[in-house]
């Protein structure tokens, strides 16, 4: 009897292994070869590279496709998506990885269900969810059921937004519905040359609008990282994308209920940075390298810029100060003199909300003359878009520190998180200039009559500009009114920022009850 039992069990296990093998083979060797030839890894190879070695545990391995009319007899191993969990730097992370070798990674009902179940579990245990997307969109053969599968995923992307971090890698041609799930997530990364995102592809576009465009020009990584802003980061290849995901997660808590993980640093907290004394140009029309200012101040010069190629007039990114992860927002005087425009406002507002959702303090570096003037900006809705920044800063309850390095003028002074917009601590360098507008513009308006009536208008204008500068183009009036907490020597900035962050560590701010706010979109 014992022997029989053993044989029976061994037979069942052999069948199990055979079934598992079939699932693991995905669409088979030919399609895998095609995938590799295109410079793409398989769904399982990607998971192995993303997670800590050997940590992956698969779930839903044997899920099969829905038995619809058109799917009769069709094989879809694993339902075209590998799901499960593992660890990154020892912390639990859920992952789904679409298998393009199985029906083009198209999303059927059960494919969607597998992803949804992984997301549900991620939220139950409070762990991030990473999606490795490589999908031809809705599975045509399943009709409305495949749309329902998308619905399950989109719904959770939205409902779980701000609950656990959601990160999307785009590693293949993501078409149709395949782009909307990533678009709802916190960070979207694309691999250069092998990934595309579009709602309708080049052929449909040609038929409808007669425009001729290549896949790359339509929705390649460069387009989305530099033009549309859909992608937060692009990697040279898939490996780089996966490494970037690990890096992003190193700054984030596993869920919104946790604080972001401190990382001990050898970089001394009171390190002075005398190089900052040579960095900021005294001529307000001359730019300087704000990236260098940031890197000089943060732990080990390690700054992970987000959206580096899009809306370059504003800089956002992740870094640590004294081991504490922070989100950094900074004007970039090298692009459009750091003026705020529609894209910059969208980029900053989104980032601020992401930081607030996951408890990362926000450090803001201000050097801004204002919002970008122009008909295109006004007609494009700069009012609506700029309002997002004001809203996002005011809404954020995480610790907020603002450092004014040079100019802080007008509405942009407020949009860059002034005291009244909710900054907990406002610091300024002696080079700071807080005013309603620059001296030239102000003198021309306020002293117009005197200039016009003067026997020597140009001399009077120059004199009035000088007068205005002396009175207003400095940090002292703002400091005198308490809008600035302290004016600090630039080389001591790191120490100040870290001390204030530590003081704010247990900051808690309640807001009036509401169902949810209504950010202008
Ligand atoms: C089912 C699909 C499929 C689909 C491709 N395949 N798209 N199966 N549903 N949507 C299958 C192919 O038949 C093929 O099967 C395999 O996947 C690989 O496809 P290829 O075309 O050979 O690959 P490639 O040349 O690399 O082209 C990839 C592609 C192209 C650009 C993505 O396949 C394509 O344009 N597909 C259609 C995209 C699309 O229109 N999707 C629907 C969007 S509508 P074999 O057996 O040969 O390997 C949508 C609605 C949701 O998503 C909206 C929600 C908001």
């Amino acid at each position: 009897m014992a022997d029989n039992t053993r044989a029976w069990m061994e037979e069942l296990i052999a069948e199990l292994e055979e079934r598992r093998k079939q699932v693991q083979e995905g669409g088979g060797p030919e399609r895998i070869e095609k995938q590799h030839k295109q410079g793409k890894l398989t769904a399982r190879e990607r998971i192995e590279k993303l997670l800590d070695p050997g940590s992956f545990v698969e779930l839903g391995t044997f899920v099969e496709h829905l038995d619809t009319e058109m799917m009769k007899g069709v094989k879809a191993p694993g339902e075209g998506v590998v799901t499960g969990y593992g660890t990154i730097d020892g912390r639990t992370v859920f992952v789904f990885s679409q298998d393009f070798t199985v029906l083009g990674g198209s999303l059927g009902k059960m494919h969607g269900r597998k992803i949804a179940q992984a997301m549900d579990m991620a939220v139950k245990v409070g762990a991030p969810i990473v999606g490795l997307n490589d999908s031809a969109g809705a599975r045509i053969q399943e009709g409305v059921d495949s749309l329902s599968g998308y619905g399950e995923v989109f719904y959770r992307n939205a409902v779980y937004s701000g609950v656990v971090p959601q990160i999307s890698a785009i590693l293949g041609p993501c078409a149709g519905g395949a782009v909307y799930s990533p678009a709802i997530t916190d960070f979207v990364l694309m691999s250069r040359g092998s990934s595309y995102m579009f709602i309708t592809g080049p052929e449909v576009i040609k038929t409808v609008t007669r425009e001729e465009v290549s896949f790359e020009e339509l929705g390649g990584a460069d387009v989305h990282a530099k033009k549309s802003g859909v992608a937060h980061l692009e990697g040279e290849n898939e490996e780089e994308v996966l490494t970037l995901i690990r890096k992003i997660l190193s700054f984030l808590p596993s869920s919104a209920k946790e604080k972001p993980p401190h990382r001990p640093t050898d970089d001394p907290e009171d390190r002075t940075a005398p190089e900052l004394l040579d960095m900021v140009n005294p001529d307000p029309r001359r730019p300087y390298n704000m990236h260098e200012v940031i890197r000089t101040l943060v732990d080990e010069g390690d700054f992970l810029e987000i959206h580096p190629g899009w809306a370059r007039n504003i800089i956002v990114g992740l870094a640590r100060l004294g081991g504490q992860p922070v989100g950094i927002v900074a004007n970039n005087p090298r692009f459009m003199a750091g003026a705020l425009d529609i894209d910059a406002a969208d980029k900053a507002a989104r980032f601020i909300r992401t930081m607030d959702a996951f408890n990362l303090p926000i450090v803001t570096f201000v050097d801004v003359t204002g919002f970008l003037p122009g008909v295109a900006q006004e007609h494009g809705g700069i009012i609506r878009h700029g309002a997002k920044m004001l809203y996002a800063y005011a809404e954020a309850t995480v610790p907020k520190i603002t450092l004014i390095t040079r100019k802080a003028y007008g509405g942009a002074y407020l949009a860059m998180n002034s005291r009244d917009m909710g900054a907990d601590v406002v610091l300024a360098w002696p080079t700071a200039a807080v005013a309603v507008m620059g001296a030239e513009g102000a003198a021309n308006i306020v002293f117009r009559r005197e200039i016009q009536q003067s026997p020597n208008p140009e001399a009077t204008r120059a004199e009035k500009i000088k007068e205005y500068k002396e009175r207003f183009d400095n940090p002292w009036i703002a400091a005198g009114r308490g809008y600035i907490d302290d004016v600090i020597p630039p080389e001591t900035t790191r120490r100040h920022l870290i001390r204030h962050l530590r003081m704010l560590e247990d900051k808690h701010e309640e807001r009036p009850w509401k169902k949810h706010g209504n950010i202008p979109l």
Side-chain angles (χ1 to χ4, degrees):
M1 186 65 190
D3 277 356
N4 275 350
T5 304
R6 173 59 67 93
W8 173 64
M9 186 58 90
E10 281 174 354
E11 209 173 293
L12 288 177
I13 290 173
E15 186 199 337
L16 159 67
E17 293 311 332
E18 180 52 31
R19 281 175 179 265
R20 191 185 299 282
K21 192 162 146 267
Q22 276 174 19
V23 171
Q24 287 175 348
E25 279 169 359
E30 272 173 34
R31 291 194 185 89
I32 288 175
E33 202 189 319
K34 188 176 164 196
Q35 181 92 345
H36 283 156
K37 273 201 179 131
Q38 291 172 334
K40 291 161 67 183
L41 299 167
T42 64
R44 286 170 193 278
E45 287 165 348
R46 287 167 179 160
I47 291 177
E48 286 306 320
K49 286 203 190 285
L50 172 72
L51 299 177
D52 296 338
S55 70
F56 181 57
V57 180
E58 189 169 353
L59 297 170
T61 314
F62 303 107
V63 169
E64 294 194 349
H65 64 72
L66 213 62
D67 196 17
T68 58
E69 199 54 38
M70 279 183 79
M71 286 297 283
K72 289 221 184 304
V74 175
K75 285 251 173 299
E79 228 326 54
V81 63
V82 185
T83 57
Y85 63 92
T87 58
I88 290 181
D89 295 333
R91 296 192 296 159
T92 300
V93 171
F94 281 76
V95 61
F96 69 87
S97 182
Q98 294 179 309
D99 187 347
F100 194 81
T101 69
V102 177
L103 301 174
S106 59
L107 187 140
K109 173 70 184 174
M110 298 306 288
H111 178 128
R113 175 72 54 80
K114 270 182 86 166
I115 296 174
Q117 283 183 347
M119 294 173 83
D120 289 342
M121 193 59 83
V123 166
K124 278 185 205 169
V125 304
I129 177 114
V130 177
L132 307 177
N133 296 270
D134 190 357
S135 167
R139 186 176 296 157
I140 295 161
Q141 299 91 322
E142 287 195 28
V144 67
D145 291 310
S146 85
L147 298 181
S148 163
Y150 267 127
E152 287 199 40
V153 179
F154 298 166
Y155 179 80
R156 284 166 176 79
N157 285 136
V159 172
Y160 297 160
S161 177
V163 179
V164 294
Q166 299 184 56
I167 300 185
S168 303
I170 311 297
L171 304 171
C174 288
V179 298
Y180 273 130
S181 165
I184 309 173
T185 63
D186 301 306
F187 294 97
V188 178
L189 297 91
M190 294 181 76
S191 58
R192 197 174 283 141
S194 61
S195 71
Y196 314 102
M197 292 177 87
F198 45 76
I199 299 289
T200 46
E203 278 177 34
V204 178
I205 288 181
K206 196 173 161 189
T207 318
V208 178
T209 69
R210 304 213 176 120
E211 291 166 295
E212 290 201 31
V213 65
S214 69
F215 278 77
E216 193 66 49
E217 290 165 347
L218 180 64
D222 266 1
V223 167
H224 287 308
K226 295 185 177 135
K227 264 193 187 160
S228 72
V230 168
H232 294 83
L233 285 167
E234 54 178 333
E236 273 309 317
N237 49 42
E238 294 193 5
E239 274 89 348
E240 196 178 314
V241 168
L242 299 172
T243 305
L244 282 167
I245 292 176
R246 292 178 63 100
K247 181 141 192 193
I248 292 174
L249 284 172
S250 76
F251 291 97
L252 301 179
S254 293
S255 83
K257 287 191 182 152
E258 293 176 15
K259 288 193 168 177
H262 270 251
R263 194 177 75 184
T265 176
D266 293 331
D267 199 347
E269 289 178 6
D270 55 0
R271 171 171 59 78
T272 53
E275 57 270 47
L276 287 171
L277 299 179
D278 305 312
M279 249 180 235
V280 180
N281 200 301
D283 179 350
R285 282 162 304 192
R286 299 285 293 278
Y288 56 94
N289 191 339
M290 187 63 98
H291 286 94
E292 212 174 315
V293 171
I294 295 167
R295 277 194 290 266
T296 302
L297 291 170
V298 300
D299 292 359
E300 291 132 33
D302 186 13
F303 176 54
L304 175 60
E305 189 172 1
I306 303 296
H307 269 143
W310 179 60
R312 295 173 72 186
N313 38 334
I314 200 151
I315 301 166
V316 303
L318 299 159
R320 292 180 187 82
L321 278 163
Q324 162 74 50
V326 292
I328 287 177
V329 180
N331 303 115
N332 183 1
R334 281 183 153 183
F335 277 85
M336 297 159 52
L340 298 175
D341 66 348
I342 289 171
D343 286 348
D346 280 5
K347 168 170 158 178
R350 176 79 178 146
F351 182 76
I352 292 160
R353 298 193 100 208
T354 307
M355 297 303 96
D356 189 45
F358 295 112
N359 308 318
L360 271 86
I362 301 166
V363 181
T364 305
F365 294 78
V366 188
D367 185 355
V368 64
T369 49
F371 284 94
L372 182 69
V375 176
Q377 286 291 310
E378 296 292 342
H379 289 188
I382 183 68
I383 298 173
R384 181 162 55 84
H385 292 277
K388 295 178 200 183
M389 258 184 100
L390 297 165
Y391 190 106
Y393 266 127
E395 176 193 48
T397 56
V398 289
K400 293 178 286 189
I401 300 178
T402 297
L403 170 73
I404 305 170
T405 60
R406 208 165 54 169
K407 302 171 299 291
Y409 291 163
Y413 156 70
L414 298 167
M416 293 299 291
N417 201 33
S418 65
R419 152 78 6 98
D420 302 290
M421 294 303 297
D424 297 300
V425 176
V426 181
L427 303 171
W429 288 351
T431 44
V434 186
V436 174
M437 60 174 74
E440 276 86 357
N444 281 338
I445 295 169
V446 180
F447 304 110
R448 181 180 298 156
R449 192 161 304 145
E450 279 173 81
I451 292 169
Q452 276 170 357
Q453 289 169 355
S454 160
N456 189 345
E458 280 321 305
T460 309
R461 190 194 315 277
E463 189 188 310
K464 292 295 174 192
I465 290 173
K466 188 164 169 278
E467 223 174 84
Y468 183 91
K469 269 192 182 154
E470 279 166 9
R471 274 184 72 190
F472 297 107
D473 237 12
N474 58 60
W476 303 116
I477 292 178
R481 302 274 197 279
Y483 302 133
I484 291 172
D485 292 296
D486 199 5
V487 183
I488 58 169
E491 74 272 22
T492 65
T493 305
R494 178 173 159 83
R495 169 161 55 90
H496 280 96
L497 291 177
I498 293 173
R499 283 194 186 164
H500 289 304
L501 281 169
R502 204 147 283 159
M503 174 273 287
L504 289 163
E505 210 163 271
D506 291 321
K507 177 191 170 190
H508 181 74
E509 205 172 303
E510 292 287 342
R511 292 292 158 87
W513 185 91
K514 60 176 104 170
K515 189 174 171 201
H516 64 71
N518 192 11
I519 189 166
L521 294 173

